Amino acid sequence: MPAHEFTIDDLKRILREGAGADESVDLEGDITGVDFESLGYDSLAMLETGGRIEREFGVTLDDDTLTDAKTPRALIESVNALLVPAEIG
């Protein structure tokens, strides 16, 4: 059941649930332009995050999508490009 939109709040929740958060990282601030590495998320954490996004939102993320999306903004845009618009009616 794909959602109509993947948001920064969805991403923050999934990051916390899947990979945890470094105590020094404030995910509540504006992190959309901060690269994942600076936020403390390595490639393994991003693979876990990608898997959780796929299961929850019904999309398939290839490895390039995860490695090319260096920031939360880029990942959100990539996921939203894959989501099927909600049916009206």
Side-chain angles (χ1 to χ4, degrees), residues 5-79:
E5 183 180 22
F6 179 65
T7 67
I8 187 66
D9 290 333
D10 294 321
L11 179 58
K12 288 177 182 180
R13 176 180 47 76
I14 288 170
L15 286 170
R16 284 187 187 107
E17 289 173 356
D22 184 318
E23 291 179 7
S24 66
V25 175
D26 180 14
L27 291 181
E28 294 307 316
D30 181 10
I31 63 163
T32 57
V34 179
D35 64 76
F36 285 112
E37 188 174 311
S38 294
L39 292 172
Y41 295 97
D42 62 11
S43 58
L44 184 59
M46 293 311 298
L47 285 173
E48 173 66 22
T49 298
R52 287 174 177 265
I53 292 169
E54 288 178 335
R55 288 187 298 279
E56 187 171 329
F57 288 86
V59 297
T60 300
L61 302 172
D62 60 30
D63 291 341
D64 289 340
T65 299
L66 290 174
T67 56
D68 291 347
K70 303 287 186 204
T71 64
R73 178 182 300 115
L75 183 56
I76 290 166
E77 289 172 358
S78 294
V79 172

